[in-house]
Structures are given as structure tokens and as C-alpha cells.
Amino acid sequence: MLKEIHEQPQALEETILGRVDGITGQVRFDELENFSLETVERVIITACGTACHAGMIGKYLMEHLAKVPVEVEYASEFRYRQPLLNEKTLVLCISQSGETADTLAAARLAKEKHARVLSICNSMGTSLTRIADRTLYTRAGIEIGVASTKAFSCQLAVLFLLSLYMAQQRKTEEYESILSHVQSLLVLPRQMNELLKISDQIHELARQYYLYHDFLYLGRGVCYPLALEGALKLKEISYLHAEGLSAGEMKHGPIALIEPDVISVVLLGRGITGVKTLANIEEIKARKGKVIAISHPENLDAIPPVEKLLVIPETSEFLAPLLLIIPLQLFAYYVALEKGSDVDQPRNLAKSVTVE
């Protein structure tokens, strides 16, 4: 797993390669030739686990950039209802392995309902790629660790590129805006490498907190799905109770959980949602809770005192998740390591869930 975390900058470069022009800002997918997305009226993203968290972030990207309505649903739920689909509905199925049973069933159902099916997959020649009308490959390389890391980052990158591609086709973003997004994406591998240099800091943080039993992960906007993913990583490999929450929902019940032995990992992205999340830190500290904050540089002057503050490099609001995820993955890894867990083959889990 640690090797695959450190492979993310290279995997991201491979995923981007040939799909963007840093001078013109043009985004292209050879896989989508003669597969126009201009007439799409609605997108449904369906997936399981980590892939679904990527899809939830993709919803923000597509709605903001391509201005198309997007729904996200667990494939295990989607497959057992009667969704209202037609030929102007794009069903986007995401699976690292391409063999996830529920996602395959969701793709088949979408085809039966005459929707167009596009898949995002890391494995060629799999069942999902054969069902889908077209497939966008993530090029993450072989991922052995059960807890997905580099595949998740590459899924986010493909979703970001797809959102820009749709914005080009649908003319919903100005040329200058798309160019700016592309240029920000191109420097991300270097920024990831810089961020990975704080591994020792995160290892020390894990040594401080691995004996605690309850963790809350909080975020808003694109950071909410990231909170879910951070909590999932800790659960998967350390077997600790961890819960991902929308920071805006804390006052609607979860704040009752705050006490000195509960660790809150607070994600502060760029923009208004990051600013709003600052209030959650104040509320947690007022109740003697402990806070680990991972923040975009924009928020630094306003962050109240916390137990630990980690800062990502400067980037855009929608690319911040690709940097914020790295400290979350490393923290989960080092906590599991300190606990003596089998990081690469955690109990009760399989890399690919091929049965219901």
C-alpha cells in the first residue's frame, strides 16, 4: 500500500498523458470519438466503495464545469430499483477491477433501459468494459493493496478531465477557464511529490493517535466525499471505528459524540465551504475534542489552534481532493502499521467484490 501511495504522482502523469494540451487547454479522449456528450441531459454515476466516493466528487466537477445534472448512487442500491432512464441519460459506471458484481448489474440495467453507458476502469478486457458503450481507462497500473489508493486518485483525474471535455463540447466554460484548469492539473504530480515528503510527520502523528478508538472525518463540498474516503481507509486497514460526515450536519446530531477521546480529522478545502468548516473546529475545541486539520493554504490565517495542522500546496478548489487524500491515506497506513495490522491484506476484505 505504501508503495502504491508513493506511485500516485507517476500514475497521475500516465492518466493525463495524451489527453490534454497544456498550451491550448484542449482536452481530448480518443476513446470518445463519435460518442458525443452534447445531448446528454442527465448523468447518473454508480459505483461501490472508494469508486463511489470518487463519483461523488465527480458530481461536483460535472455540475460546476459541464452544467449538467448529476446523481450519484451506490450500485448495490441502483440495481434493485426502477430508475427512469432514456437515451439522453448517461450512466457512468466506475470500477477499478471492472468485475464488481453490483456495478456490472447496474450497467446491465442501464443498457436495458436504453441509457448510454460509459465506464471508468483500470483493467482492460474486463466484464464492465465489454458491457459499456465506451470506456475511459485510468492507467494507474496494477494495484495490489486491497485498500485502493492510486486507482482512486486516477479516477478523480479522469472525472476531472471528463468534466472539462464535456464543458468543451457543451460550451459551458470559457477557453481561459479550461486552460487554467488544465495547467493546474499538469503541475499536480510535482505537488504530490512535495506532499509525500511529509510522510515522517504523519507517521509521528499516527504514533500519537493509534491507541484511540473513535475518529470523525469532516468536510464540506468536495471535501465531504473525501471525508468518507478517509474514514473508509482507516476502517479498512486499522479496524478502528471511523465515520465520515458532512461538516454542516454536525449540529444535527453527530456533535453529541465529541469528547476528549474522539479525534476529529477536519478537511478544509478552498472557497466558501472551507471557510464554513472553520466553525466546526471551534465547536469541537469548545467541547474538548481533539482536531487534526488538513487545509488548503487559503485558510491558514483563520484556523484556530489545533493538535496538528497539515497544509497542502496551492491548487484549485476542484483539484484539492487529489492532494488532500494523500495525508489521509498515509495516516491510515501508519495507524494500521502501529497497530500491527496486515495493511495489504486486511481481514474479511477482497480486492475485487465479484459476488453479492
Side-chain angles (χ1 to χ4, degrees):
M1 179 180 176
L2 184 62
K3 175 176 176 285
E4 289 167 354
I5 291 172
H6 282 266
E7 286 174 350
Q8 285 177 113
Q10 180 62 37
L12 183 61
E13 286 184 345
E14 292 292 334
T15 298
I16 297 170
L17 187 65
R19 288 171 166 168
V20 296
D21 187 317
I23 298 174
T24 66
Q26 188 75 14
V27 180
R28 57 182 174 271
F29 282 106
D30 293 339
E31 304 95 322
L32 297 182
E33 188 176 353
N34 300 321
F35 190 76
S36 174
L37 299 175
E38 292 179 52
T39 59
V40 170
E41 294 181 351
R42 176 172 164 239
V43 176
I44 298 177
I45 301 175
T46 185
C48 300
T50 287
C52 196
H53 298 156
M56 292 170 72
I57 295 173
K59 170 184 169 70
Y60 287 94
L61 303 177
M62 284 189 186
E63 290 190 338
H64 182 88
L65 296 168
K67 307 296 189 292
V68 60
V70 181
E71 304 165 33
V72 184
E73 190 165 355
Y74 287 113
S76 55
E77 296 294 330
F78 181 85
R79 65 177 293 190
Y80 286 116
R81 64 182 186 85
Q82 293 297 316
L84 302 176
L85 311 176
N86 58 38
E87 65 280 356
K88 292 187 177 180
T89 304
L90 177 69
V91 175
L92 180 55
C93 300
I94 309 174
S95 170
Q96 185 280 139
S97 67
E99 300 293 346
T100 309
D102 287 321
T103 308
L104 294 178
R108 292 188 186 103
L109 177 60
K111 295 281 281 188
E112 289 170 10
K113 299 278 186 178
H114 307 293
R116 303 168 75 192
V117 177
L118 177 63
S119 70
I120 295 177
C121 190
N122 192 47
S123 306
M124 299 182 71
T126 57
S127 299
L128 182 59
T129 64
R130 291 194 294 271
I131 295 168
D133 297 310
R134 300 293 174 92
T135 297
L136 303 178
Y137 289 101
T138 51
R139 305 175 186 167
I142 296 172
E143 188 178 66
I144 296 171
V146 169
S148 182
T149 52
K150 62 178 181 176
F152 173 74
S153 294
C154 291
Q155 286 164 359
L156 290 184
V158 169
L159 285 163
F160 184 72
L161 289 171
L162 180 60
S163 300
L164 292 176
Y165 180 81
M166 291 177 70
Q168 281 177 181
Q169 283 204 338
R170 300 163 69 88
K171 298 179 173 55
T172 55
E173 285 286 307
E174 297 292 334
Y175 160 76
E176 292 80 7
S177 172
I178 293 177
L179 177 60
S180 175
H181 284 302
V182 166
Q183 290 175 338
S184 295
L185 179 63
L186 289 172
V187 301
L188 214 60
R190 176 180 57 78
Q191 292 178 314
M192 280 181 159
N193 275 317
E194 286 299 312
L195 195 54
L196 285 164
K197 293 177 182 177
I198 67 170
S199 292
D200 289 344
Q201 288 185 49
I202 298 176
H203 195 171
E204 182 55 38
L205 191 64
R207 290 192 185 102
Q208 294 177 43
Y209 292 110
Y210 78 98
L211 292 176
Y212 285 78
H213 298 287
D214 297 290
F215 293 78
L216 300 180
Y217 286 69
L218 309 178
R220 291 185 82 162
V222 292
C223 290
Y224 168 49
L226 211 58
L228 295 174
E229 176 61 13
L232 179 62
K233 283 291 150 288
L234 194 65
K235 281 184 277 198
E236 284 179 312
I237 61 175
S238 71
Y239 319 138
L240 290 171
H241 170 249
E243 190 171 352
L245 298 165
S246 167
E249 291 296 303
M250 279 294 282
K251 289 181 180 178
H252 296 276
I255 200 167
L257 297 171
I258 299 299
E259 56 185 49
D261 288 338
V262 174
I263 311 302
S264 296
V265 181
V266 182
L267 305 176
L268 299 162
R270 187 172 184 172
I272 187 62
T273 54
V275 172
K276 291 292 184 183
T277 308
L278 291 168
N280 293 102
I281 296 178
E282 299 277 11
E283 292 162 354
I284 293 166
K285 297 302 293 180
R287 290 158 178 82
K288 305 190 185 308
K290 294 180 175 62
V291 174
I292 300 169
I294 308 175
S295 179
H296 186 279
E298 183 180 75
N299 306 300
L300 291 187
D301 293 340
I303 298 175
V306 295
E307 276 63 34
K308 182 66 176 180
L309 172 62
L310 301 170
V311 183
I312 65 168
E314 172 68 36
T315 190
S316 69
E317 177 183 0
F318 294 118
L319 288 175
L322 278 157
L323 296 177
L324 288 166
I325 191 57
I326 289 177
L328 297 177
Q329 293 169 345
L330 287 170
F331 183 69
Y333 172 82
Y334 285 119
V335 167
L337 194 68
E338 292 300 317
K339 289 177 65 66
S341 302
D342 186 337
V343 175
D344 291 326
Q345 295 292 328
R347 68 189 186 197
N348 306 332
L349 297 176
K351 180 62 180 170
S352 179
V353 182
T354 58
V355 295
E356 245 188 298

